[in-house]
Amino acid sequence: RRVHGVLDECNFVSVTLPTSLVATIMLTQHKRGLQHSELVRQALWLRQQILRRGGRVASRPGVTPVRMISNVVERVLASLGGSDDARIVKRYKSTLLFGLYGPKERLTLAFYRNQLIHVFVLEALIACAMYAIERRVKVFPAHIEMAELARETHFLSQMLRMEFVYRPHTDAFPETVMAMIAHGIIAKDDQGRVFVNSAADNEDSDEELENESRGTAMFLFLCSLLWPFLDAYLICALALYRLVPEPTHSLDVAAFLHYAQDIGEALYFEGVFDLYESVSKETLENALRLFAEWGIVSVTPAVAGGLSDSAGVPDEDSTHAWDDIIRLHDEFVVPFVVDGPAADKAAPLDRLCAQISSFKKRARIYASRRFSSCATQRSDLQDALLYAKTRARQVAEGTVADDKGPSNFFEAE
């Protein structure tokens, strides 16, 4: 706890760089393109949100915030070579095009975005918990009991505790809810239930971009900060199906993480996941460590030292992590049915994936006419489970290589 207190203080005094502001706007932007001036203005808006929450943003004597952020934008526009095709942000006439990033570019932007998430993490946990409840009840905005919201937020905070440091010895939930109400992001009804303050979406404001600071816009911005991590934890859970048909139900850590990344990439290019940065090896490692603590898997050393044998959890200082063996606990070794009426929806791994998936961003293609008119009405979770189980079985049978998934998988269905 003392270490967590020190890390929390480090977060408190850390300074957000202008590069992080620009990268965050670029990754969370829902529009296909922005004018140069608009990108600068939104980065300034994000700077204001950080300062409003007590965070710190880098400054330079004699240089205005507008000039600092404009300089960063110019460097981003000139990055990765001289030709327009090689740049992170492409330009069409006077419009900067977003969403055309390659996989490595998204990972680079995510690195800078992650440096400011700690400022918003408590609000983002509550926002993602509300999003999960809304998806479950299919009401937008849903009026949510505080007890239910607290329960979902607690689960989410525990799941992501490998990623973020929370202030020790404090229950920040009530305080954070009140702050979100004060900021106009959520509201409370006469019965004490909270809901997304969608009424603020169309309110007139004299302050520039003030509407982006409250209501649905801010709610979705907060969710977007955690969605890549939630996708990564779901990908790691899906990769665990690889261990079920194995005779020893085990695999070395390096091979498992490589397989998980392949699963994530395949589902990203199929459209089941929208965020490529969710295949980050560091986040997948943290997910694996969490599953070990939860008793879903055990990790044993392939060589002496480097692990805690009693806990079955990788030691943070392990020098043999890639040789260690991950094994699925017996409770989760349940032969699965790939698809159809007999598919085991109550199997432990299925329940784990469903619980994590409830918080994740719904992939865009599942809102399209193609999927809404489909007779099977599959969800993104159903397709992810179908892919993960099919591939695990095919790899075990030797009909598909360990690092290759079935091509055109969903089209074949």
Side-chain angles (χ1 to χ4, degrees), residues 87 89 131 142 146 160 173 181 216 256 293 300 307 311 322 340 351 365 388 406:
R87 294 173 182 170
V89 177
Y131 179 85
M146 288 289 286
L160 296 180
F173 176 77
I181 293 173
T216 303
F256 176 82
E293 288 198 359
T300 55
L307 287 175
W322 301 117
R351 291 199 303 269
I365 64 171

Side-chain angles (χ1 to χ4, degrees), residues 77-209:
L77 292 177
S79 63
L80 297 182
S83 68
D84 191 58
D85 290 340
R87 294 173 182 170
I88 290 180
V89 177
K90 315 301 188 289
R91 190 194 297 267
Y92 177 73
K93 297 181 179 178
S94 61
T95 302
L96 308 179
L97 304 180
F98 295 132
L100 302 179
Y101 318 124
K104 290 184 179 180
E105 294 165 351
R106 287 197 69 93
L107 289 172
T108 299
L109 293 171
F111 170 80
Y112 289 103
R113 178 203 56 205
N114 292 349
Q115 295 177 12
L116 60 73
I117 293 180
H118 66 276
V119 177
F120 302 96
V121 65
L122 297 179
E123 293 174 82
L125 290 168
I126 291 173
C128 284
M130 294 181 69
Y131 179 85
I133 295 169
E134 286 188 337
R135 284 192 64 182
R136 185 164 61 242
V137 301
K138 298 181 179 179
V139 176
F140 310 96
H143 288 235
I144 302 168
E145 298 288 348
M146 288 289 286
E148 182 181 14
L149 180 59
R151 187 167 56 250
E152 295 290 339
T153 303
H154 176 74
F155 170 81
L156 191 56
S157 67
Q158 291 304 299
M159 187 174 74
L160 296 180
R161 62 192 177 86
M162 300 287 183
E163 310 294 340
F164 307 107
V165 175
Y166 311 122
R167 186 159 296 176
H169 308 298
T170 60
D171 180 9
F173 176 77
E175 180 183 337
T176 306
V177 169
M178 295 305 298
M180 294 176 73
I181 293 173
H183 290 150
I185 304 168
I186 61 177
K188 185 180 286 189
D189 64 18
D190 295 337
Q191 300 178 42
R193 300 174 301 180
V194 294
F195 57 94
V196 179
N197 186 22
S198 56
D201 295 349
N202 299 315
E203 290 180 359
D204 294 328
S205 175
D206 295 333
E207 188 174 345
E208 199 171 37
L209 286 179

Side-chain angles (χ1 to χ4, degrees), residues 26-91:
M26 288 168 63
L27 279 180
T28 59
Q29 180 57 237
H30 68 278
K31 296 180 180 179
R32 294 177 178 172
L34 286 179
Q35 297 292 312
H36 183 288
S37 59
E38 182 68 10
L39 176 57
V40 172
R41 186 170 63 158
Q42 291 205 21
L44 288 169
W45 164 82
L46 181 55
R47 177 182 183 275
Q48 180 188 37
Q49 297 307 307
I50 293 173
L51 295 175
R52 180 182 292 184
R53 288 160 174 79
R56 304 184 181 195
V57 182
S59 60
R60 190 178 300 168
V63 182
T64 66
V66 174
R67 184 67 263 165
M68 286 187 68
I69 292 174
S70 295
N71 289 341
V72 171
V73 172
E74 291 300 331
R75 287 201 301 270
V76 170
L77 292 177
S79 63
L80 297 182
S83 68
D84 191 58
D85 290 340
R87 294 173 182 170
I88 290 180
V89 177
K90 315 301 188 289
R91 190 194 297 267

Side-chain angles (χ1 to χ4, degrees), residues 101 153 181 185 224 277 287 312 317 320 365 369 389 403 411-412:
Y101 318 124
T153 303
I181 293 173
I185 304 168
S224 70
E277 57 268 34
D317 297 323
H320 305 289
I365 64 171
R369 181 173 179 176
K389 293 178 181 181
D403 60 347
E411 284 79 355

Side-chain angles (χ1 to χ4, degrees), residues 336-376:
F336 52 78
V337 178
V338 171
D339 197 26
D344 33 280
K345 305 303 181 186
L349 281 182
D350 282 28
R351 291 199 303 269
L352 174 67
C353 291
Q355 190 169 23
I356 298 173
S357 177
S358 66
F359 297 97
K360 75 177 286 291
K361 176 183 183 288
R362 186 191 184 196
R364 284 191 295 266
I365 64 171
Y366 289 86
S368 69
R369 181 173 179 176
R370 173 187 174 189
F371 283 87
S372 61
S373 62
C374 179
T376 58

